[in-house]
Each structure stands twice: as C-alpha cells, then as structure tokens.
Short mmCIF file of all heavy atoms in Angstrom, two decimals:
data_model
loop_
_atom_site.label_atom_id
_atom_site.label_comp_id
_atom_site.label_asym_id
_atom_site.label_seq_id
_atom_site.Cartn_x
_atom_site.Cartn_y
_atom_site.Cartn_z
N GLU A 31 -17.39 -62.64 -26.74
CA GLU A 31 -16.43 -62.36 -25.67
C GLU A 31 -16.48 -63.42 -24.58
O GLU A 31 -15.46 -63.79 -24.00
CB GLU A 31 -16.71 -60.98 -25.07
CG GLU A 31 -16.43 -59.81 -26.01
CD GLU A 31 -14.94 -59.71 -26.37
OE1 GLU A 31 -14.10 -60.13 -25.55
OE2 GLU A 31 -14.64 -59.23 -27.48
N ALA A 32 -17.70 -63.92 -24.29
CA ALA A 32 -17.83 -64.94 -23.24
C ALA A 32 -17.09 -66.21 -23.63
O ALA A 32 -16.46 -66.86 -22.78
CB ALA A 32 -19.30 -65.24 -23.00
N LEU A 33 -17.13 -66.58 -24.92
CA LEU A 33 -16.41 -67.77 -25.37
C LEU A 33 -14.90 -67.55 -25.30
O LEU A 33 -14.14 -68.46 -24.93
CB LEU A 33 -16.83 -68.12 -26.80
CG LEU A 33 -18.29 -68.58 -26.98
CD1 LEU A 33 -18.56 -68.86 -28.45
CD2 LEU A 33 -18.55 -69.83 -26.14
N ILE A 34 -14.47 -66.34 -25.67
CA ILE A 34 -13.03 -66.06 -25.63
C ILE A 34 -12.51 -66.12 -24.20
O ILE A 34 -11.45 -66.68 -23.92
CB ILE A 34 -12.75 -64.66 -26.24
CG1 ILE A 34 -13.13 -64.65 -27.72
CG2 ILE A 34 -11.29 -64.27 -26.06
CD1 ILE A 34 -12.97 -63.29 -28.38
N ALA A 35 -13.29 -65.56 -23.26
CA ALA A 35 -12.85 -65.53 -21.86
C ALA A 35 -12.71 -66.93 -21.29
O ALA A 35 -11.83 -67.20 -20.46
CB ALA A 35 -13.83 -64.71 -21.04
N GLY A 36 -13.55 -67.85 -21.72
CA GLY A 36 -13.49 -69.20 -21.16
C GLY A 36 -12.74 -70.19 -22.01
O GLY A 36 -12.79 -71.39 -21.75
N SER A 37 -12.03 -69.71 -23.05
CA SER A 37 -11.33 -70.61 -23.96
C SER A 37 -9.95 -70.99 -23.44
O SER A 37 -9.38 -70.32 -22.57
CB SER A 37 -11.19 -69.94 -25.33
OG SER A 37 -10.34 -68.80 -25.26
N LYS A 38 -9.43 -72.06 -24.00
CA LYS A 38 -8.10 -72.55 -23.65
C LYS A 38 -7.33 -72.84 -24.93
O LYS A 38 -7.83 -73.53 -25.82
CB LYS A 38 -8.21 -73.81 -22.79
CG LYS A 38 -6.86 -74.39 -22.37
CD LYS A 38 -7.05 -75.65 -21.54
CE LYS A 38 -5.71 -76.24 -21.16
NZ LYS A 38 -5.86 -77.50 -20.39
N GLY A 39 -6.11 -72.30 -25.04
CA GLY A 39 -5.33 -72.45 -26.26
C GLY A 39 -4.47 -73.69 -26.27
O GLY A 39 -3.99 -74.16 -25.23
N LEU A 40 -4.28 -74.25 -27.45
CA LEU A 40 -3.38 -75.38 -27.68
C LEU A 40 -2.22 -74.86 -28.54
O LEU A 40 -2.42 -74.48 -29.69
CB LEU A 40 -4.10 -76.53 -28.39
CG LEU A 40 -3.24 -77.74 -28.76
CD1 LEU A 40 -2.79 -78.47 -27.50
CD2 LEU A 40 -4.02 -78.69 -29.67
N GLU A 41 -1.03 -74.87 -27.99
CA GLU A 41 0.14 -74.31 -28.68
C GLU A 41 0.68 -75.28 -29.74
O GLU A 41 0.66 -76.49 -29.55
CB GLU A 41 1.24 -73.98 -27.67
CG GLU A 41 2.42 -73.23 -28.26
CD GLU A 41 3.45 -72.87 -27.20
OE1 GLU A 41 3.17 -73.12 -26.00
OE2 GLU A 41 4.52 -72.34 -27.56
N PHE A 42 1.16 -74.72 -30.83
CA PHE A 42 1.74 -75.53 -31.90
C PHE A 42 3.09 -76.10 -31.45
O PHE A 42 3.89 -75.41 -30.81
CB PHE A 42 1.95 -74.69 -33.16
CG PHE A 42 2.66 -75.41 -34.26
CD1 PHE A 42 1.97 -76.19 -35.18
CD2 PHE A 42 4.05 -75.33 -34.38
CE1 PHE A 42 2.63 -76.86 -36.19
CE2 PHE A 42 4.72 -76.00 -35.39
CZ PHE A 42 4.01 -76.77 -36.29
N THR A 43 3.32 -77.37 -31.77
CA THR A 43 4.62 -77.99 -31.54
C THR A 43 5.01 -78.78 -32.79
O THR A 43 4.17 -79.13 -33.62
CB THR A 43 4.60 -78.95 -30.34
OG1 THR A 43 3.77 -80.08 -30.65
CG2 THR A 43 4.11 -78.26 -29.07
N ALA A 44 6.32 -79.05 -32.91
CA ALA A 44 6.79 -79.82 -34.06
C ALA A 44 6.23 -81.23 -34.05
O ALA A 44 6.10 -81.87 -35.09
CB ALA A 44 8.32 -79.86 -34.06
N GLN A 45 5.88 -81.74 -32.85
CA GLN A 45 5.36 -83.10 -32.76
C GLN A 45 3.88 -83.16 -33.17
O GLN A 45 3.48 -84.03 -33.94
CB GLN A 45 5.53 -83.64 -31.33
CG GLN A 45 6.97 -83.94 -30.94
CD GLN A 45 7.78 -82.69 -30.70
OE1 GLN A 45 7.25 -81.66 -30.26
NE2 GLN A 45 9.07 -82.75 -31.01
N THR A 46 3.07 -82.22 -32.67
CA THR A 46 1.64 -82.26 -32.97
C THR A 46 1.32 -81.66 -34.34
O THR A 46 0.36 -82.06 -34.99
CB THR A 46 0.85 -81.49 -31.90
OG1 THR A 46 1.24 -80.11 -31.91
CG2 THR A 46 1.10 -82.07 -30.52
N ARG A 47 2.14 -80.69 -34.77
CA ARG A 47 1.95 -80.01 -36.05
C ARG A 47 0.55 -79.41 -36.20
O ARG A 47 -0.02 -79.40 -37.29
CB ARG A 47 2.27 -80.94 -37.22
CG ARG A 47 3.74 -81.26 -37.36
CD ARG A 47 3.97 -82.24 -38.51
NE ARG A 47 3.35 -83.53 -38.22
CZ ARG A 47 3.05 -84.43 -39.15
NH1 ARG A 47 3.28 -84.18 -40.41
NH2 ARG A 47 2.50 -85.58 -38.81
N MET A 48 0.01 -78.95 -35.10
CA MET A 48 -1.29 -78.26 -35.15
C MET A 48 -1.42 -77.38 -33.92
O MET A 48 -0.67 -77.52 -32.94
CB MET A 48 -2.44 -79.27 -35.19
CG MET A 48 -2.58 -80.11 -33.93
SD MET A 48 -4.00 -81.25 -34.02
CE MET A 48 -3.85 -82.08 -32.44
N SER A 49 -2.35 -76.44 -33.98
CA SER A 49 -2.66 -75.59 -32.84
C SER A 49 -4.17 -75.38 -32.83
O SER A 49 -4.87 -75.79 -33.77
CB SER A 49 -1.93 -74.24 -32.96
OG SER A 49 -2.34 -73.56 -34.13
N GLY A 50 -4.68 -74.76 -31.78
CA GLY A 50 -6.13 -74.59 -31.75
C GLY A 50 -6.63 -74.02 -30.45
O GLY A 50 -5.85 -73.51 -29.62
N THR A 51 -7.93 -74.12 -30.27
CA THR A 51 -8.60 -73.54 -29.11
C THR A 51 -9.73 -74.47 -28.66
O THR A 51 -10.48 -75.00 -29.50
CB THR A 51 -9.19 -72.16 -29.45
OG1 THR A 51 -8.16 -71.31 -29.94
CG2 THR A 51 -9.83 -71.52 -28.22
N ASP A 52 -9.84 -74.64 -27.35
CA ASP A 52 -10.97 -75.35 -26.76
C ASP A 52 -11.93 -74.30 -26.20
O ASP A 52 -11.60 -73.59 -25.25
CB ASP A 52 -10.51 -76.29 -25.64
CG ASP A 52 -9.74 -77.48 -26.18
OD1 ASP A 52 -9.92 -77.82 -27.36
OD2 ASP A 52 -8.93 -78.07 -25.42
N LEU A 53 -13.14 -74.20 -26.80
CA LEU A 53 -14.14 -73.24 -26.35
C LEU A 53 -15.04 -73.86 -25.29
O LEU A 53 -15.17 -75.10 -25.22
CB LEU A 53 -14.99 -72.77 -27.53
CG LEU A 53 -14.25 -72.03 -28.66
CD1 LEU A 53 -15.24 -71.71 -29.79
CD2 LEU A 53 -13.61 -70.75 -28.14
N PRO A 54 -15.67 -73.04 -24.45
CA PRO A 54 -16.63 -73.59 -23.48
C PRO A 54 -17.74 -74.36 -24.19
O PRO A 54 -18.17 -74.00 -25.29
CB PRO A 54 -17.17 -72.32 -22.79
CG PRO A 54 -16.11 -71.28 -22.99
CD PRO A 54 -15.50 -71.58 -24.31
N GLY A 55 -18.18 -75.42 -23.58
CA GLY A 55 -19.24 -76.23 -24.17
C GLY A 55 -18.71 -77.41 -24.96
O GLY A 55 -19.46 -78.09 -25.66
N GLY A 56 -17.38 -77.67 -24.87
CA GLY A 56 -16.82 -78.83 -25.54
C GLY A 56 -16.54 -78.66 -27.02
O GLY A 56 -16.35 -79.66 -27.74
N VAL A 57 -16.45 -77.42 -27.50
CA VAL A 57 -16.13 -77.18 -28.92
C VAL A 57 -14.61 -77.14 -29.08
O VAL A 57 -13.93 -76.33 -28.45
CB VAL A 57 -16.76 -75.87 -29.42
CG1 VAL A 57 -16.36 -75.60 -30.87
CG2 VAL A 57 -18.27 -75.91 -29.27
N ARG A 58 -14.11 -78.04 -29.94
CA ARG A 58 -12.66 -78.12 -30.18
C ARG A 58 -12.37 -77.64 -31.60
O ARG A 58 -12.81 -78.26 -32.58
CB ARG A 58 -12.17 -79.55 -30.01
CG ARG A 58 -12.38 -80.11 -28.59
CD ARG A 58 -11.91 -81.54 -28.49
NE ARG A 58 -12.67 -82.42 -29.39
CZ ARG A 58 -13.88 -82.93 -29.11
NH1 ARG A 58 -14.48 -82.63 -27.96
NH2 ARG A 58 -14.51 -83.71 -29.98
N LEU A 59 -11.64 -76.54 -31.69
CA LEU A 59 -11.25 -75.98 -32.99
C LEU A 59 -9.75 -76.19 -33.20
O LEU A 59 -8.94 -75.85 -32.32
CB LEU A 59 -11.57 -74.48 -33.05
CG LEU A 59 -13.05 -74.10 -32.84
CD1 LEU A 59 -13.21 -72.58 -32.83
CD2 LEU A 59 -13.92 -74.72 -33.93
N ARG A 60 -9.40 -76.78 -34.35
CA ARG A 60 -8.00 -77.09 -34.63
C ARG A 60 -7.64 -76.66 -36.05
O ARG A 60 -8.47 -76.69 -36.95
CB ARG A 60 -7.73 -78.59 -34.48
CG ARG A 60 -8.03 -79.17 -33.12
CD ARG A 60 -7.00 -78.72 -32.09
NE ARG A 60 -7.23 -79.39 -30.80
CZ ARG A 60 -7.94 -78.87 -29.79
NH1 ARG A 60 -8.53 -77.68 -29.95
NH2 ARG A 60 -8.08 -79.53 -28.66
N LYS A 61 -6.39 -76.29 -36.23
CA LYS A 61 -5.85 -76.04 -37.57
C LYS A 61 -4.43 -76.60 -37.60
O LYS A 61 -3.70 -76.56 -36.59
CB LYS A 61 -5.85 -74.55 -37.91
CG LYS A 61 -4.87 -73.70 -37.12
CD LYS A 61 -4.90 -72.26 -37.57
CE LYS A 61 -3.78 -71.43 -36.97
NZ LYS A 61 -3.80 -71.36 -35.51
N GLY A 62 -4.03 -77.14 -38.76
CA GLY A 62 -2.69 -77.72 -38.85
C GLY A 62 -2.40 -78.24 -40.23
O GLY A 62 -3.16 -78.03 -41.19
#
C-alpha cells in the first residue's frame, strides 16, 4: 500500500505506445 500511495502513473498515448508506473525508490515499471 505504501508503494501504491507514493506511485505516479504514466498514461498510454499513441506516440509513446506504452504505459506504466513510477514507484517510490526509483523503480520504473513499463508495459507496451
């Protein structure tokens, strides 16, 4: 829950063709 509360979302766009989440501590999770 602590990671979810401090996370930041990356919205999918036609240009980036991916989406994801930045978790606290510099963890970048992406799917696309």
Side-chain angles (χ1 to χ4, degrees):
E31 292 295 332
L33 294 179
I34 296 177
S37 66
K38 180 181 179 182
L40 177 68
E41 188 177 355
F42 174 87
T43 67
Q45 289 73 31
T46 62
R47 289 178 295 160
M48 65 178 179
S49 61
T51 304
D52 290 338
L53 298 177
V57 177
R58 298 178 298 278
L59 301 176
R60 301 288 186 265
K61 69 178 190 299

